[in-house]
Amino acid sequence: MSTDVTIETSAASIVLTDVAATKVAALLAQEDRDDLSLRVAVQPGGCSGLRYQLYFDDRALDGDVIHEFGAVKVIVDKMSVPYLAGASIDFVDTIEKQGFTIDNPNAGGSCACGDSFH
């Protein structure tokens, strides 16, 4: 069974900052897994209509777009690609907040929690 997967390198693709790529690589090393990729998806839900999902995945599905950042691969499903074009994923670690953040130029607005957008 073959899958139709695209390796994306254009400027309109998703961006993983160096800090976020380092954090993803550290999490994968902690789990002793080099077969996983970071999957980023947009799903219906949340207080603003759409919400982000970030999780590790060992699969590549038909239509997935793979973005490579050194040893880290980010996979976006074909339905989420238009919502995430030009988005930047970062990792913040401050006294106020710790975790991955997504700066998305396609979002018309977001809720106060920052986990959903429209």
Side-chain angles (χ1 to χ4, degrees), residues 57-111:
D57 199 350
D58 63 354
R59 303 169 296 148
L61 306 173
D62 282 340
D64 280 350
V65 176
I66 300 174
H67 309 273
E68 295 181 342
F69 301 92
V72 174
K73 292 182 182 174
V74 176
I75 299 177
V76 180
D77 65 88
K78 65 182 172 185
M79 299 301 284
S80 298
V81 167
Y83 294 104
L84 294 170
S88 176
I89 301 173
D90 196 8
F91 184 81
V92 296
D93 188 2
T94 66
I95 196 164
E96 296 173 338
K97 182 177 184 177
Q98 180 183 39
F100 290 96
T101 62
I102 299 177
D103 180 17
N104 189 347
N106 302 305
S110 62
C111 61

Side-chain angles (χ1 to χ4, degrees), residues 6-84:
T6 303
I7 305 285
E8 181 65 50
T9 57
S10 73
S13 64
I14 198 166
V15 173
L16 188 67
T17 67
D18 290 342
V19 173
T22 299
K23 183 62 176 182
V24 170
L27 291 170
L28 291 173
Q30 185 178 348
E31 295 296 319
D32 198 24
R33 299 285 301 263
D34 62 359
D35 61 326
L36 299 176
S37 299
L38 178 65
R39 183 171 288 277
V40 182
V42 173
Q43 300 290 323
C47 25
S48 290
L50 297 169
R51 64 186 172 93
Y52 300 111
Q53 287 191 326
L54 281 79
Y55 57 95
F56 291 119
D57 199 350
D58 63 354
R59 303 169 296 148
L61 306 173
D62 282 340
D64 280 350
V65 176
I66 300 174
H67 309 273
E68 295 181 342
F69 301 92
V72 174
K73 292 182 182 174
V74 176
I75 299 177
V76 180
D77 65 88
K78 65 182 172 185
M79 299 301 284
S80 298
V81 167
Y83 294 104
L84 294 170

